[in-house]
Amino acid sequence: MNRIRSLALLGAATLAAGGLTALATGSAHAADVNVARNGGFESGLADWTCSSGSGAVVSSPVYAGTGALKGTPAGQDNAQCSQTVTVKPNSTYTISEQVQGSYVYLGATGTGTQDVSTWTPGSGGGWQKLSTTFTTGPSTTRVTVWTHGWYGQPAYVVDDFSVFGPDGGGGTDPGPSVPGAPGGTAVSGQSANGLTLSWNAVSGATGYYVYQDGVRVKTVSGSPAQITGLAAATSYSFQVSAYNAAGEGPKSAAVTGTTTGGGNPNPNPSVPKHALTGYWQNFNNGATVQKISDVSSQYDIIAVSFADATTTPGAIAFNLDSAGLGGYTVAQFKADIAAKKAAGKSVILSIGGEKGTISVNDSASANNLANSAYALMQEYGFSGIDIDLENGLNPTYMTQALRSLSAKAGSSLVITMAPQTIDMQSTAGGYFKTALNIKDILTVVNMQYYNSGSMNGCDGKVYSQGSVDFLTALACIQLEGGLDPSQVGIGVPASPSGAGSGYVSPTIVNNALDCLARGTNCGSFKPSKTYPGLRGAMTWSTNWDAKAGSAWSNSVGPKVHGLP
């Protein structure tokens, strides 16, 4: 399915074609370094100056390594220890340390802008991190960083002192290295909506990232992590990575956990015998921006375009483009889906599109698609999914994924497909095979009769797009190739702006529907029999339809709903 996310990125010809240009931007830059020296106090007090001999290095307690700084305030001395670091002008640095004790201070002077400080009244007997940032002035190359206690207070302890930012050229402290991958990852504590994930601690780690089906979902200080808000009777894949000031380490081996429970307490509404399908754009490309609630009531199936790929093969996510849609919130989106559902409509999530990058080529990716799709159905209220993979599909594993999803979602699951014309020329094609493989759970195949060259009809003759014959002779291949008439729909653009080629007027669409269902209003090609159970028609998109004054849905909708 064609999509355009930014008018500014596309020329007029591309806009007319409804195409998508995806740009990845970003600039490479050097990684920040620790410009402090001997921040772990492994070399005694080298590089440090402490007031009145108030500082000493101790071997216990330490946060890491073999040494830590102990400062002891006395009289009018707050036991300040400082170091001058070499910095770059007009740059931002993060200064931090691990502390124990009462009233510990951290700061920087001589920044050339605003000097900074932070403090804590006490760490409760354990280690506590103090951190703040400063920005250097246009000519600042040296800054003094310091830590101290408070007058009349007990001794304090500091370790793991760092000043991270651009290298000023004065030498750096090697600091921590990137931590390794966590081991011993395991799942326990299964409930209907949650799991407990645990792993072994990693040396040098300051925290951990938890990934669910390839998407980072939590940042935690240590094991275990409680994963909540999951769907019942659903399998999820988890990985964990450790991080510290040097960066994020590699992910752990994946582990799978399955929630308990099952069943579908809120089944989807039935799709009517004759249905109109429209794709709804989760982006602004010059067509009318719509909320789901704005979509015409003529549409029985609304396909939300599109799901997003993740780093986990086969897994999908969905991210509402709230900013591009004028502040449309997730809460409003979910409420609008629920309202459409209450009105008997099916709102489904489309997977793929012109630039879709989701591949399902093995059992693991098939499971990932089924699990992630079902989780999104539970989260947003989608009634099912649409398969619009224009880069082809593997019928073996796509069949596995869709049957797995059906087992989770139940008999009210809606599954639609939007293959290109070339994909449905023969039952040997991957799309056609998949459709036949899941015929017992398939709702409708809405082939895209646009952006297509000439194609063979079921009579062996070649037909060009843009005519009644092109629509009917190609539909005949599906109807005679094994699909039930209720599983065949005609997909066309809602306006000339919706596709690069293949737009036909609503009158031609209606004539094709009459020809297939009633045997009337045919062109030169007339099917050998009629198919009164024909499901209906589809369009890209509800937004382009609205831009054109809803001319397409107001004409084709009543024709579809009036089929025998």
Side-chain angles (χ1 to χ4, degrees):
M1 197 60 58
N2 299 304
R3 48 186 172 167
I4 314 170
R5 292 189 182 274
S6 173
L7 284 171
L9 300 178
L10 299 164
T14 304
L15 287 176
L20 167 70
T21 299
L23 298 181
T25 60
S27 58
H29 58 84
D32 287 346
V33 298
N34 183 8
V35 299
R37 303 297 298 273
N38 190 28
F41 303 96
E42 314 303 328
S43 301
L45 288 177
D47 299 295
W48 290 92
T49 300
C50 296
S51 60
S52 303
S54 58
V57 172
V58 296
S59 59
S60 181
V62 296
Y63 180 77
T66 59
L69 169 67
K70 183 177 181 180
T72 306
Q76 297 301 306
D77 180 16
N78 62 8
Q80 175 170 301
C81 293
S82 62
Q83 176 180 154
T84 299
V85 296
T86 304
V87 295
K88 275 189 173 182
N90 296 318
S91 300
T92 299
Y93 292 81
T94 298
I95 176 175
S96 66
E97 64 183 4
Q98 295 287 342
V99 304
Q100 280 193 27
S102 301
Y103 295 94
V104 187
Y105 293 73
L106 170 70
T109 56
T111 62
T113 56
Q114 181 175 352
D115 293 345
V116 298
S117 66
T118 187
W119 66 287
T120 177
S123 57
W127 289 100
Q128 179 181 355
K129 185 175 183 178
L130 277 181
S131 181
T132 188
T133 62
F134 65 85
T135 300
T136 56
S139 59
T140 302
T141 58
R142 304 272 283 175
V143 170
T144 298
V145 292
W146 49 260
T147 186
H148 63 69
W150 197 246
Y151 308 104
Q153 297 297 317
Y156 68 91
V157 182
V158 166
D159 202 356
D160 199 25
F161 191 101
S162 65
V163 184
F164 271 91
D167 188 352
T172 64
D173 194 329
S177 59
V178 174
T185 311
V187 172
S188 62
Q190 290 94 335
S191 68
N193 303 110
L195 298 165
T196 299
L197 183 65
S198 60
W199 59 92
N200 298 334
V202 177
S203 176
T206 57
Y208 300 87
Y209 297 130
V210 176
Y211 291 84
Q212 176 184 312
D213 294 328
V215 179
R216 186 190 295 177
V217 294
K218 273 185 176 292
T219 301
V220 295
S221 60
S223 174
Q226 304 299 319
I227 314 297
T228 58
L230 305 178
T234 304
S235 295
Y236 297 91
S237 176
F238 297 99
Q239 291 174 286
V240 182
S241 67
Y243 70 88
N244 58 21
E248 180 183 4
K251 294 176 184 154
S252 68
V255 62
T256 299
T258 304
T259 51
T260 61
N264 185 0
N266 188 20
N268 300 315
S270 298
V271 176
K273 177 181 178 182
H274 301 296
L276 196 70
T277 301
Y279 285 79
W280 174 86
Q281 298 177 187
N282 181 37
F283 48 88
N284 181 357
N285 66 344
T288 300
V289 172
Q290 291 184 313
K291 297 179 174 64
I292 292 294
S293 56
D294 297 329
V295 176
S296 167
S297 60
Q298 292 287 350
Y299 291 100
D300 305 291
I301 302 175
I302 303 166
V304 171
S305 309
F306 292 94
D308 298 304
T310 73
T311 57
T312 299
I316 58 172
F318 177 73
N319 299 286
L320 184 69
D321 184 12
S322 296
L325 302 181
Y328 195 16
T329 68
V330 172
Q332 289 175 310
F333 179 70
K334 290 179 179 179
D336 287 348
I337 291 176
K340 285 291 186 182
K341 193 171 183 178
K345 310 298 183 180
S346 298
V347 182
I348 62 177
L349 179 60
S350 183
I351 300 170
E354 183 188 2
K355 298 296 183 180
T357 57
I358 295 144
S359 296
V360 179
N361 294 318
D362 53 31
S363 290
S365 56
N367 287 332
N368 291 337
L369 175 58
N371 291 338
S372 58
Y374 184 62
L376 293 172
M377 289 175 62
Q378 297 293 100
E379 180 179 358
Y380 290 95
F382 296 126
S383 294
I385 61 172
D386 168 67
I387 305 300
D388 182 20
L389 299 175
E390 299 188 6
N391 57 331
L393 53 77
N394 183 307
T396 299
Y397 296 110
M398 182 55 72
T399 297
Q400 177 185 325
L402 296 176
R403 289 207 171 276
S404 177
L405 178 59
S406 177
K408 298 174 187 296
S411 60
S412 63
L413 174 69
V414 176
I415 300 177
T416 70
M417 292 183 172
Q420 300 172 100
T421 53
I422 191 66
D423 296 321
M424 301 299 287
Q425 283 280 285
S426 167
T427 55
Y431 249 108
F432 216 141
K433 280 185 178 180
T434 303
L436 294 176
N437 287 347
I438 63 164
K439 185 175 177 180
D440 57 314
I441 58 172
L442 174 65
T443 306
V444 63
V445 175
N446 291 303
M447 190 173 73
Q448 302 176 46
Y449 291 80
Y450 50 96
N451 294 339
S452 167
S454 299
M455 289 289 160
N456 290 323
C458 67
D459 58 355
K461 295 181 180 179
V462 177
Y463 295 93
S464 299
Q465 64 180 7
S467 66
V468 170
D469 290 337
F470 187 72
L471 303 181
T472 56
L474 269 66
C476 176
I477 297 176
Q478 301 170 62
L479 292 162
E480 294 302 309
L483 292 181
D484 189 85
S486 67
Q487 295 170 324
V488 176
I490 295 174
V492 294
S495 75
S497 300
S501 64
Y503 170 76
V504 293
S505 71
T507 299
I508 291 179
V509 179
N510 290 345
N511 287 345
L513 293 170
D514 277 337
C515 178
L516 293 168
R518 297 185 171 95
T520 61
N521 292 326
C522 297
S524 61
F525 171 80
K526 185 170 183 178
S528 59
K529 61 181 178 181
T530 59
Y531 307 93
L534 192 77
R535 180 67 78 173
M538 170 274 282
T539 195
W540 177 267
S541 62
T542 66
N543 307 74
W544 285 117
D545 183 28
K547 181 81 170 182
S550 299
W552 191 88
S553 58
N554 285 339
S555 176
V556 180
K559 172 63 69 172
V560 165
H561 297 138
L563 290 174

